[in-house]
Amino acid sequence: ERFLIKSGTKMISVDVQDIAYIISENAFSYLYTQNQKYIVDYTLDELENMLSPKQYFRANRKCILNSKSVVAIRPWFNQKLIVEVKPATAENIIISREKANRFKSWLGE
């Protein structure tokens, strides 16, 4: 239901529903809400197991998406997809062609 996240000298409680996406960069996992970025002490594999598969999708080895944060999907070369999310990310979020159909089905649920 919630994550307790260390932020400087204090602890912050973040509701799972408020997580827009989680991105792994440089061996750290960053949890993004609509207006904040937090570092978390879990790997993406651990987070994937903690989160509901109805609401969260493992887009690739670097990213887990909340269905509510997906703004649009666009076709990319070789039957891959680019996902636009809110808030926007610095890098494109790419869904492999192997996961593309499963991703579209998940979004349609």
Side-chain angles (χ1 to χ4, degrees), residues 20-83:
Y21 48 83
I22 304 165
I23 294 183
S24 176
E25 297 172 347
N26 304 322
F28 294 103
S29 295
Y30 296 93
L31 183 149
Y32 290 80
T33 63
Q34 290 301 320
N35 53 12
Q36 287 291 117
K37 173 183 176 181
Y38 303 100
I39 191 167
V40 290
D41 292 329
Y42 299 103
T43 66
L44 282 190
D45 288 337
E46 291 170 331
L47 289 163
E48 182 180 17
N49 290 326
M50 294 174 170
L51 298 168
S52 167
K54 286 188 180 244
Q55 188 173 0
Y56 292 91
F57 186 86
R58 180 76 178 259
N60 53 45
R61 61 193 157 115
K62 292 179 66 176
C63 183
I64 297 173
L65 298 172
N66 182 338
S67 60
K68 294 177 184 177
S69 69
V70 177
V71 175
I73 55 175
R74 293 180 291 145
W76 206 41
F77 76 92
N78 204 13
Q79 299 175 339
K80 296 177 184 176
L81 302 171
I82 291 181
V83 182

